Amino acid sequence: MGELRAAPPIGIKPVPSWVVPVTPGGKAPSAKDISGGYYLSFVDKQVNLGVKSTYQRFVRQIVSESGIQNGSEISVTFDPAYERVDFHEVTVWRAGQRISHLKQGDFKVMPVESERQRFIYNGYHSASLVLKDIRKGDRIDVAYSTTGWNPVFMNKYSDFLYFNAYDYIAHIHNSILSPAGRVLHFKDFNKPPVRNNRNAGGNVLYEWNALNVKNNSYDDNVPGWYGKEPLVQVTEFGTWKEVVDWGLNFYQVPAPAGALKAKVDEWKAQSESTLEFIGKAVRFVQDEIRYLGIETGENSHRPHKPEDVFAQRYGDCKDKVFLLCAILRSNGIECDPVLVDSYKRSHVDENLPSPPAFNHVIARVRVQEKSGKDNEFSFAFIDATMALQGGAVPQMYCPPYGKGLLLQSGQAHLVTIPDHNPGNVDIVEDIYLPASGDSTAEGSIQVKTAYYKGDADDFRAQFQEGDVSEMEEHYLNFYKDLFKHAVVEATDTLEYYDQREGNSFSLVERYSLKNPWKLDSATNKFYFDVFGKTLYTTLNILPGRPRKDPVSLKFPSEQNYTINVHMPDARTILADQWEIKRGSYIISFESKYLPQEYTWQLKYHFKTLKDHVPVSEAKQFKADMDKLVENLEYQLTEPKAGGFDLSDINGWMVGLLIAVGIFAVTFFKRLYQYSPGYRHYHESETILGGWLILLAISVGFAPMTLLFQFVGQQLPVYVSLTHWNVMEAKGVLISTAYRGLLVFELCFNGAMIGYAVLVAVLFFKKRDSFPILYIYYLGINLLGVILDACLTYALVGDRVAGELNNTIVSIGRVMFFSAIWIPYLIKSSRVQRTFVNTYGDQPVERELSEGAEVAEPLE
């Protein structure tokens, strides 16, 4: 941790002579723009590059009693390793009177480890002063200077000048006093104040003034790289190559020595391939060198020696990368540091070249022998701060940093960091429902969650840091909250499987589910609510107000979520399927019924393609999310399929059914009298035989089969108000077309039952009209089945329980049946000798003696 040192002294000096006098301007804020009971009427920051000093002044106006509490302490943060603080003024102005509080003994200096929770010790101290006797209306004027720069930047200046405010600031002044020979590069972001340049005693003075600065409010959930505050970037680095050359000063990788060399030699002896050696080195640096940064002074950017990091077994990102480079290079493996920014990511190239553009270091390792032109798969980008990663090195996940600066000699541009193995999460919830109304019956819930690649890395780390018993309780409470009316209890401990080599992590949860059905007192029907809360909790649901900022998306992210509702009996479930593809994400949904298993399956897929949704597409994103949420929530209700509920009866369709029945009886009774009449006399009919026996079975059972199918499966749909109105949400056109399809099916299926009865009677009476009427029956049935399938699919797609494949098979079966029997009925002499009876006539009976012949009638 370093040796103990006395607290650094605080100086009291006059304002430096080089400081430019500035008269505060701007307006006092309105009451609604004041927060905390005070506001800043003036903020001044002046930098002198020649003497490496920064002068700062602020004027704080106390306007209420809460301001006395919140604004009566002064605190200045600095790094004593290279900075000295001198106060010039601490004055309280009251009723035009000046009251000085500038007493050196009143200052308290103490360490401030603001990043300790992130395991970073930066060596910062604060010089604090608690003001006495502060009253409402006081104006506090503070001025101080910090002298000295971090030597790690080699006397090159880089900074960002901000012209924004969390709370109202009446006047912001920034200036840079630079010797005439020094070249500064500037870049404006979000329309900052205009820069004014002027000569000042052999120096160049750059000035900016902003008046009446208000807070730039943001919508919720914006990307980390997004900002709209006015700012100016200033840097003495002219190119990215200059930054590379600066960085290479700290990453001159030495050959390992001592205990580190012995460890490297051991890995060399144990490794059968270069890739295995890389894996051992990466695993060691990630898992056995704990993350802890001692970033005082130059070590804010300069890594510690690899041997020291190896010996102490801790280091920050740059320490770990430096150690990894030393290990791999000792075995002739190309490995270089890459500077990245974990917030700006791929947008880091919008900045001018400078070291402060980055806040993190990763490594680029060659994993394929160099042959010809390199490609993105020749290298693996390794984040050495990620512990417990799975998979071989080429398959390791690297966060989507987007772009970075490769610290390699001759490098002059940023490099693209490809998205490596982002991973996905697959979740399957199986809900087994008991019979409704049975309070003694018990269902169950089984949840299987599988994390892959990058998602497995994240969850593996969370799992090791967590408490399994607490995790079990958290998961159980999740389902207790989801099914508040039911009784949910864990039936087994949480199962988990960590396949680190394949980089997957799986969980299995099991719960009992008692009394899941709820009774609706108004309808006296049981119902069960289905809600995909597991996916819902991960979604970014936007409020209804207009949005002015882009929407942040977790990227990369891919979720496959399935809910299987296993029901105790058959149900009528209308299927649904849709997909949405946008530039930033993909959403798909499918609902289908598995009749063999009495299972209703809901499948969801959500994948992000970018880390944000542009503000121009935010309205569409909200609509898409709302559609997804609508399909996350369903209600399974009584009655059961095949049953009737008088309140759900569609009287209009019942009337149509009666009308179809009356028409069928009337029409087919008249058609029964039809006879071709092409014969001049009758001969006795032949006894049924041959292939006609098979036809008799089909014709005889057809009416019964069609009737059972109609009453048991189709009729509940046709006469149900629920099914009549099921497509209303799709609009008037679709709903009307769907109702027309129901009317067509009811009329067609009802009429075909009557037709089947007619041809069965004609068959067994051996009527001469049977062959031709049965041929028509087969043809009409085939055309009707094809037409119904086409209309159904054109209207709603593969919607009704996912039966498209079954429908195609049924059409093929009817076509095959018709292709066999129609030619047979036309050409068979047995058919001609069998079906000879005409309507109203008695058959001619002739006894034929053995060997007698029957003369065929002349045409």
Side-chain angles (χ1 to χ4, degrees):
M1 298 295 294
E3 63 181 23
L4 295 175
R5 293 182 297 177
I10 297 300
I12 295 178
K13 294 182 179 181
V15 175
S17 59
W18 56 265
V19 171
V20 178
V22 180
T23 301
K27 300 178 181 179
S30 63
K32 65 180 182 180
D33 290 325
I34 297 175
S35 174
Y38 70 91
Y39 71 94
L40 293 171
S41 62
F42 185 52
V43 173
D44 188 13
K45 178 180 178 181
Q46 302 187 33
V47 179
N48 187 323
L49 302 187
V51 297
K52 302 178 184 178
S53 183
T54 301
Y55 165 85
Q56 298 191 66
R57 176 189 175 195
F58 63 86
V59 179
R60 186 181 293 169
Q61 182 69 53
I62 307 298
V63 297
S64 68
E65 288 75 7
S66 62
I68 298 173
Q69 175 68 40
N70 298 320
S72 298
E73 183 175 352
I74 309 301
S75 182
V76 175
T77 301
F78 66 103
D79 189 337
Y82 55 84
E83 280 184 310
R84 171 184 172 83
V85 177
D86 293 306
F87 279 88
H88 312 306
E89 184 175 11
V90 178
T91 300
V92 175
W93 292 89
R94 180 181 303 155
Q97 298 297 314
R98 181 179 183 274
I99 306 171
S100 176
H101 286 252
L102 190 59
K103 294 180 182 179
Q104 187 164 358
D106 290 345
F107 285 94
K108 289 182 171 55
V109 179
M110 61 192 71
V112 178
E113 297 296 350
S114 58
E115 297 184 286
R116 186 172 181 177
Q117 68 278 8
R118 296 175 52 224
F119 302 101
I120 295 176
Y121 296 85
N122 50 37
Y124 289 150
H125 283 61
S126 69
S128 300
L129 174 62
V130 178
L131 301 176
K132 301 174 183 179
D133 189 25
I134 300 300
R135 305 177 188 180
K136 177 181 176 180
D138 287 352
R139 187 172 78 252
I140 304 171
D141 195 337
V142 178
Y144 63 94
S145 295
T146 56
T147 304
W149 288 356
N150 192 336
V152 77
F153 295 116
M154 300 179 179
N155 203 35
K156 279 195 172 184
Y157 176 75
S158 296
D159 200 4
F160 291 90
L161 308 179
Y162 293 90
F163 299 91
N164 67 298
Y166 290 106
D167 298 308
Y168 183 91
I169 301 177
H171 184 186
I172 297 177
H173 174 262
N174 273 287
S175 69
I176 299 176
L177 188 65
S178 173
R182 299 181 72 160
V183 178
L184 297 180
H185 307 275
F186 301 91
K187 184 172 183 180
D188 293 349
F189 296 86
N190 304 314
K191 298 180 179 180
V194 176
R195 182 179 77 250
N196 294 311
N197 306 344
R198 60 187 173 92
N199 292 325
N203 297 307
V204 179
L205 180 67
Y206 305 92
E207 278 190 293
W208 298 262
N209 283 283
L211 301 179
N212 309 319
V213 180
K214 293 184 178 181
N215 178 39
N216 288 284
S217 63
Y218 285 83
D219 292 318
D220 294 333
N221 300 312
V222 298
W225 50 262
Y226 176 72
K228 53 187 179 182
E229 296 90 353
L231 63 97
V232 176
Q233 184 185 7
V234 187
T235 180
E236 289 189 87
F237 290 86
T239 64
W240 289 115
K241 183 178 183 304
E242 290 181 37
V243 182
V244 170
D245 293 341
W246 164 83
L248 287 176
N249 285 289
F250 313 122
Y251 290 93
Q252 298 299 318
V253 181
L260 176 57
K261 182 180 185 303
K263 191 66 176 178
V264 170
D265 291 340
E266 177 185 333
W267 287 334
K268 287 181 181 180
Q270 294 174 348
S271 301
E272 297 181 358
S273 65
T274 299
L275 198 58
E276 184 179 352
F277 178 83
I278 296 174
K280 289 181 182 296
V282 170
R283 286 275 194 269
F284 175 81
V285 172
Q286 286 187 329
D287 298 347
E288 298 190 41
I289 304 296
R290 77 181 189 272
Y291 183 83
L292 189 148
I294 307 299
E295 300 184 351
T296 58
E298 285 194 57
N299 290 119
S300 60
H301 290 75
R302 180 190 293 276
H304 293 86
K305 294 179 181 179
E307 288 80 3
D308 294 342
V309 177
F310 177 80
Q312 66 197 18
R313 288 297 201 271
Y314 66 76
D316 61 9
C317 59
K318 58 187 178 292
D319 297 331
K320 284 173 155 247
V321 166
F322 199 27
L323 174 59
L324 180 62
C325 289
I327 294 171
L328 296 183
R329 287 189 186 183
S330 70
N331 199 16
I333 300 167
E334 183 179 337
C335 179
D336 298 290
V338 181
L339 305 181
V340 297
D341 189 282
S342 57
Y343 295 105
K344 297 288 285 186
R345 298 194 172 189
S346 60
H347 296 265
V348 71
D349 63 352
E350 298 172 1
N351 290 333
L352 294 175
S354 71
F358 307 100
N359 67 353
H360 190 44
V361 186
I362 62 174
R364 192 186 77 161
V365 180
R366 180 179 290 279
V367 292
Q368 291 184 6
E369 295 297 330
K370 190 169 184 178
S371 58
K373 187 176 181 181
D374 289 334
N375 58 61
E376 65 181 64
F377 301 107
S378 302
F379 299 94
F381 288 82
I382 303 297
D383 190 331
T385 64
M386 294 185 67
L388 304 174
Q389 282 199 279
V393 171
Q395 286 77 46
M396 278 186 169
Y397 167 67
C398 181
Y401 294 121
K403 292 184 178 181
L405 188 62
L406 178 68
L407 297 185
Q408 188 180 74
S409 180
Q411 185 68 32
H413 304 284
L414 297 172
V415 298
T416 298
I417 302 172
D419 296 331
H420 279 299
N421 310 299
N424 59 281
V425 182
D426 294 346
I427 304 170
V428 179
E429 291 179 347
D430 283 285
I431 303 172
Y432 296 86
L433 294 176
S436 58
D438 186 353
S439 60
T440 63
E442 182 178 293
S444 63
I445 304 171
Q446 180 173 275
V447 186
K448 296 179 180 178
T449 307
Y451 300 88
Y452 300 97
K453 300 180 180 178
D455 287 291
D457 292 335
D458 291 341
F459 188 80
R460 184 181 295 110
Q462 295 175 26
F463 192 83
Q464 282 214 3
E465 291 182 3
D467 185 314
V468 175
S469 61
E470 290 183 1
M471 189 176 295
E472 288 177 335
E473 184 177 0
H474 172 73
Y475 289 167
L476 174 60
N477 289 336
F478 177 89
Y479 287 100
K480 283 185 174 181
D481 292 339
L482 180 59
F483 303 110
K484 293 181 183 296
H485 61 285
V487 178
V488 181
E489 298 293 343
T491 58
D492 201 350
T493 57
L494 180 67
E495 292 184 27
Y496 54 91
Y497 307 91
D498 185 3
Q499 303 291 332
R500 189 170 179 185
E501 292 305 315
N503 205 13
S504 67
F505 200 106
S506 303
L507 301 173
V508 180
E509 308 163 56
R510 294 184 179 88
Y511 310 100
S512 63
L513 183 64
K514 299 177 183 178
N515 298 323
W517 295 91
K518 292 187 283 187
L519 181 64
D520 188 337
S521 58
T523 61
N524 200 34
K525 293 190 299 183
F526 286 97
Y527 65 93
F528 175 75
D529 290 327
V530 180
F531 179 42
K533 186 178 179 181
T534 301
L535 177 59
Y536 178 83
T537 56
T538 68
L539 299 179
N540 193 344
I541 309 299
L542 301 182
R545 59 180 177 271
R547 192 172 179 94
K548 57 184 181 296
D549 300 316
V551 184
S552 176
L553 294 177
K554 180 185 178 183
F555 176 80
S557 175
E558 182 175 5
Q559 298 182 72
N560 297 294
Y561 179 43
T562 302
I563 304 174
N564 293 316
V565 183
H566 302 267
M567 296 171 286
D569 43 43
R571 302 279 168 143
T572 301
I573 302 291
L574 288 181
D576 195 3
Q577 186 173 3
W578 50 263
E579 184 177 48
I580 296 172
K581 291 185 177 180
R582 309 292 183 199
S584 301
Y585 54 90
I586 298 174
I587 310 172
S588 66
F589 167 71
E590 182 181 14
S591 170
K592 65 180 179 181
Y593 180 61
L594 309 177
Q596 296 85 357
E597 305 170 21
Y598 294 163
T599 299
W600 180 16
Q601 187 175 82
L602 298 163
K603 299 181 72 174
Y604 307 86
H605 177 243
F606 181 60
K607 180 178 182 180
T608 58
L609 306 177
K610 297 179 180 178
D611 65 355
H612 74 288
V613 177
V615 65
S616 61
E617 300 173 15
K619 185 176 180 180
Q620 182 64 66
F621 175 70
K622 173 175 169 48
D624 293 341
M625 287 294 100
D626 289 346
K627 181 176 181 178
L628 177 57
V629 171
E630 287 175 4
N631 287 270
L632 283 172
E633 195 166 4
Y634 286 92
Q635 191 173 87
L636 186 64
T637 60
E638 295 287 326
K640 301 173 185 176
F644 287 94
D645 185 342
L646 292 179
S647 65
D648 194 43
I649 295 296
N650 187 340
W652 191 90
M653 289 292 277
V654 172
L656 179 62
L657 177 64
I658 295 173
V660 169
I662 294 173
F663 169 80
V665 170
T666 303
F667 178 79
F668 291 116
K669 184 176 181 181
R670 292 181 63 85
L671 191 59
Y672 174 75
Q673 301 174 11
Y674 167 72
S675 288
Y678 61 82
R679 295 186 182 277
H680 298 290
Y681 70 93
H682 296 189
E683 62 182 33
S684 58
E685 70 272 15
T686 301
I687 297 174
L688 290 174
W691 291 104
L692 289 179
I693 297 297
L694 297 178
L695 187 59
I697 296 173
S698 176
V699 171
F701 280 100
M704 187 181 305
T705 302
L706 291 177
L707 184 62
F708 285 163
Q709 184 179 9
F710 183 79
V711 174
Q713 298 180 19
Q714 299 165 346
L715 190 60
V717 175
Y718 297 151
V719 301
S720 167
L721 278 174
T722 300
H723 288 278
W724 183 257
N725 298 320
V726 74
M727 301 297 287
E728 282 189 338
K730 302 296 181 180
V732 176
L733 183 62
I734 297 296
S735 180
T736 302
Y738 179 72
R739 290 169 179 174
L741 180 62
L742 292 179
V743 170
F744 166 74
E745 289 183 348
L746 184 146
C747 295
F748 179 79
N749 292 330
M752 290 306 292
I753 291 173
Y755 202 164
V757 172
L758 172 65
V759 295
V761 172
L762 294 177
F763 180 89
F764 289 105
K765 286 200 171 189
K766 300 178 184 178
R767 288 281 304 279
D768 61 345
S769 59
F770 169 78
I772 189 169
L773 290 182
Y774 191 63
I775 289 173
Y776 280 124
Y777 171 84
L778 294 176
I780 293 171
N781 184 54
L782 177 59
L783 291 176
V785 171
I786 294 175
L787 180 61
D788 181 67
C790 292
L791 291 176
T792 300
Y793 193 76
L795 181 61
V796 294
D798 186 14
R799 193 180 195 91
V800 182
E803 288 291 339
L804 177 61
N805 292 334
N806 293 336
T807 301
I808 294 175
V809 172
S810 298
I811 293 174
R813 188 184 302 114
V814 173
M815 292 179 67
F816 180 74
F817 188 86
S818 301
I820 291 177
W821 289 112
I822 290 177
Y824 177 76
L825 292 172
I826 294 173
K827 296 182 179 181
S828 172
S829 60
R830 179 181 289 276
V831 170
Q832 294 177 5
R833 294 196 306 271
T834 301
F835 300 102
V836 296
N837 294 329
T838 59
Y839 175 72
D841 293 338
Q842 296 295 323
V844 176
E845 300 288 346
R846 291 192 294 166
E847 297 292 337
L848 299 179
S849 60
E850 186 175 348
E853 295 182 356
V854 178
E856 292 291 332
L858 298 175
E859 293 295 326

